[in-house]
Amino acid sequence: MASHSLVSSPHPLAPFSSHHHHHHLCLRHSPNLSTLPFPKPIKNKPNHSLRCAVSIEKEVPETERPFTFLRDSDDSSHSSSSSTSSVRARFETMIRAAQDSVCEAIEAVENGPKFKEDVWSRPGGGGGISRVLQDGNVFEKAGVNVSVVYGVMPPEAYRAAKGSASDQKPGPVPFFAAGVSSVLHPKNPFAPTLHFNYRYFETDAPKDVPGAPRQWWFGGGTDFTPAYIFEDDVKHFHSIQKQACDKFDPSFYPRFKKWCDDYFYIKHRDERRGLGGIFFDDLNDYDQEMLLKFSTECANSVVPAYIPIVEKRKDMEFTEQNKAWQQLRRGRYVEFNLVYDRGTTFGLKTGGRIESILVSLPLSARWEYDHKPEEGTEEWKLLDACINPKEWI
């Protein structure tokens, strides 16, 4: 199984707030832990080091969205420094456009209900926009969040991230993380849940090691979690993911499809959360410009991959039994997020803002004792595909 970063979450929203240790504040409060894909830090360490992995100040609610969350020095229009700062600016532009386009598409399907928006900023720079639509006409709960966060990793996290012991004793390492993260749970049991998340992470040279290289990584994915299999829907969804991948590298789709099946795995059930999609993490072994375009292509493919399926399924007749099965699958979603999802579990361990961390959970779910669908039923077919991942296209 591919290695993943600690906070690669699919999950939106685990905010940070300050801790009492002023010497290094703890990561608690961001609206997007999922946007903090630390490259493999702090694997075999006790919890106390996890607790203070990152320094983040308390968020401040804002009344309106800023033009940018970047500092002046990072915005390419103000900056003479080369491409990496413009990657920050272009990634922010991309994730905010993705948030807007997904929210517009969801509101068009909803035909009335609108997203509630919270904007926040951080004294040290950065901020985020959280949007949630709850109990709509079509969606039980839809959350689409962006964040742009600056912070400092203590030296031990940075050494773990690099995976190599350094002779120098580095000081705290500044980092930048930005991402968009979303979970969409429709009401109709025949309409699938969707999750997507795309993020970019950079570390700057420690102040006492001038000239050390700035390092960067991309991560993300889009995955599909229906309660019932409509083969046309699954093929449509996977073919749009494959098209996005194929524009950049023919190895991407098979590799990231398998990575997705491996990541969204509920070990205690020996089944996947859903029917997969694509997932990748800590990606930096390709041209940075290409990966920025690839992430953009993936984010832009969310609406065409998903909305037509919801349109097709949202008004289908269903029985109480169909609804009960959807609720059982929602229970699996909850189990995965609370037990295995790195962003969610990291946010809970570090005491983040609970509303933000749990925005990915469904409004309702169900756990029946020893429930087993009868072999050959539609419910059984879905479970079988979650236990034995298939090639859909």
Side-chain angles (χ1 to χ4, degrees):
M1 176 152 169
S3 65
H4 310 294
S5 49
L6 176 74
V7 192
S8 66
S9 152
H11 271 331
L13 267 125
F16 329 108
S17 72
S18 58
H19 222 35
H20 306 304
H21 319 311
H22 48 267
H23 59 284
H24 56 292
L25 294 136
C26 281
L27 176 61
R28 302 178 69 194
H29 213 51
S30 101
N32 223 337
L33 254 207
S34 48
T35 64
L36 297 184
F38 300 123
K40 311 173 193 62
I42 351 187
K43 272 242 171 79
N44 307 305
K45 300 242 177 157
N47 262 344
H48 62 264
S49 65
L50 180 65
R51 273 210 187 102
C52 288
V54 190
S55 105
I56 303 283
E57 301 108 327
K58 189 157 173 48
E59 65 184 22
V60 180
E62 297 289 346
T63 51
E64 54 186 64
R65 299 194 289 273
F67 173 70
T68 177
F69 287 108
L70 296 176
R71 296 164 172 163
D72 282 354
S73 62
D74 285 312
D75 187 338
S76 51
S77 57
H78 299 89
S79 170
S80 57
S81 86
S82 67
S83 64
T84 46
S85 60
S86 80
V87 170
R88 293 182 177 195
R90 286 152 63 209
F91 197 85
E92 183 197 22
T93 301
M94 184 278 275
I95 60 179
R96 290 183 62 174
Q99 182 184 43
D100 288 344
S101 69
V102 171
C103 290
E104 280 164 23
I106 296 291
E107 287 182 350
V109 172
E110 282 289 347
N111 197 16
K114 302 285 183 203
F115 281 89
K116 174 183 186 297
E117 175 175 282
D118 291 309
V119 180
W120 55 280
S121 66
R122 290 186 39 249
I129 302 166
S130 305
R131 293 183 190 157
V132 181
L133 187 154
Q134 192 162 282
D135 206 15
N137 297 326
V138 175
F139 287 88
E140 181 183 281
K141 194 168 171 196
V144 191
N145 308 301
V146 296
S147 68
V148 175
V149 176
Y150 298 83
V152 180
M153 283 162 60
E156 59 275 18
Y158 183 63
R159 280 199 297 272
K162 286 180 69 179
S164 61
S166 163
D167 299 340
Q168 309 142 301
K169 194 167 178 344
V173 179
F175 77 85
F176 166 86
V180 57
S181 194
S182 173
V183 181
L184 309 169
H185 291 293
K187 290 182 164 174
N188 193 303
F190 296 119
T193 283
L194 186 82
H195 157 257
F196 72 90
N197 166 251
Y198 291 99
R199 55 194 178 272
Y200 175 69
F201 181 82
E202 272 183 18
T203 54
D204 269 326
K207 295 214 175 358
D208 55 357
V209 191
R214 174 181 274 187
Q215 297 190 301
W216 53 265
W217 299 265
F218 288 87
T222 306
D223 68 287
F224 187 70
T225 311
Y228 288 93
I229 295 179
F230 293 93
E231 200 128 334
D232 289 353
D233 294 0
V234 193
K235 286 182 167 160
H236 168 79
F237 175 80
H238 275 271
S239 66
I240 299 277
Q241 304 314 302
K242 184 175 186 300
Q243 279 168 30
C245 290
D246 285 354
K247 286 184 185 176
F248 295 88
D249 190 314
S251 73
F252 278 5
Y253 175 75
R255 185 177 152 204
F256 299 157
K257 191 261 183 202
K258 180 178 187 318
W259 202 336
C260 188
D261 289 335
D262 289 344
Y263 181 76
F264 294 104
Y265 173 64
I266 306 171
K267 195 174 172 187
H268 62 262
R269 299 264 188 194
D270 189 24
E271 63 185 67
R272 273 88 202 146
R273 185 175 79 179
L275 303 185
I278 56 170
F279 181 85
F280 56 90
D281 216 350
D282 301 339
L283 219 55
N284 66 358
D285 48 352
Y286 296 84
D287 177 65
Q288 188 180 29
E289 189 66 28
M290 184 265 254
L291 290 176
L292 175 64
K293 290 194 167 87
F294 173 58
S295 300
T296 304
E297 183 74 28
C298 290
N300 290 344
S301 73
V302 168
V303 168
Y306 180 63
I307 297 294
I309 297 172
V310 175
E311 290 280 15
K312 199 157 60 166
R313 305 297 168 201
K314 67 185 173 69
D315 299 317
M316 285 179 69
E317 298 277 318
F318 60 87
T319 64
E320 275 181 35
Q321 185 200 345
N322 299 144
K323 190 69 189 171
W325 174 247
Q326 178 200 40
Q327 298 280 285
L328 287 166
R329 295 312 301 173
R330 293 261 200 270
R332 299 294 208 268
Y333 212 94
V334 173
E335 289 174 32
F336 179 85
N337 281 21
L338 295 184
V339 179
Y340 303 109
D341 183 76
R342 277 185 292 271
T344 305
T345 53
F346 189 87
L348 295 172
K349 282 185 177 122
T350 52
R353 178 175 171 247
I354 203 72
E355 290 309 316
S356 296
I357 297 168
L358 299 185
V359 78
S360 62
L361 298 185
L363 206 54
S364 59
R366 178 181 180 106
W367 286 268
E368 284 179 30
Y369 182 74
D370 199 25
H371 182 273
K372 290 188 177 68
E374 197 179 321
E375 192 162 336
T377 59
E378 291 303 310
E379 291 79 8
W380 178 86
K381 286 177 192 166
L382 184 278
L383 187 58
D384 181 60
C386 291
I387 293 168
N388 305 298
K390 297 176 171 29
E391 296 306 318
W392 297 99
I393 46 176

